[in-house]
Amino acid sequence: YTDALSELHRLRQLSVRNIDKTEASLENLGKYYDQLTFLEQKIPTQELNVPFKWKDAFDRGSIFGGRISLTVASVAYEKVCVLFNYAALCTQIAEGANLDSEEGLQKANKK
């Protein structure tokens, strides 16, 4: 199980640190979310007592890096935070697309 846990930890680190506004970052968030879903299916949530720490995205600090944090031992909480970041990153990527070109419109409308 060591390799699997190392991979899960690696994906989480890619998901919670400063995320680049790229498709690769979206892919990492999606992979991490999928792994959490698989984990929920394999281990009953009441037996999975792993604390997940996130910072408040709406705090006065920078986006996704506020000063206030919350730690909850819940895979459901972790999944909600990942989905929030996924949606926010989709929005940032779309905002950065060139809407004057067909390719830019397709990129902005991708997800």
Side-chain angles (χ1 to χ4, degrees):
Y1 298 110
T2 304
D3 291 341
L5 288 174
S6 294
E7 177 63 11
L8 185 66
H9 178 70
R10 184 187 74 76
L11 287 171
R12 184 169 200 281
Q13 292 305 310
L14 291 171
S15 300
V16 299
R17 297 193 187 266
N18 291 336
I19 299 173
D20 296 333
K21 297 176 188 176
T22 63
E23 297 291 327
S25 294
L26 274 178
E27 187 175 321
N28 287 332
L29 282 167
K31 285 179 183 178
Y32 181 54
Y33 181 85
D34 289 345
Q35 291 303 311
L36 290 171
T37 301
F38 294 140
L39 187 63
E40 272 185 320
Q41 294 170 0
K42 302 287 183 189
I43 302 172
T45 54
Q46 64 271 19
E47 292 180 23
L48 189 63
N49 191 17
V50 177
F52 297 102
K53 181 178 180 179
W54 285 88
K55 293 192 176 187
D56 185 353
F58 299 106
D59 186 23
R60 290 184 180 240
S62 64
I63 190 162
F64 305 136
R67 294 173 302 231
I68 301 170
S69 65
L70 178 65
T71 302
V72 179
S74 167
V75 175
Y77 173 73
E78 180 78 347
K79 287 172 62 179
V80 167
C81 291
V82 171
L83 286 177
F84 174 87
N85 282 355
Y86 189 92
L89 185 56
C90 284
T91 302
Q92 289 179 336
I93 290 172
E95 185 270 331
N98 178 3
L99 302 180
D100 294 329
S101 70
E102 183 68 30
E103 181 182 335
L105 286 171
Q106 288 177 355
K107 182 178 180 182
N109 194 31
K110 183 174 182 183
K111 301 284 180 193

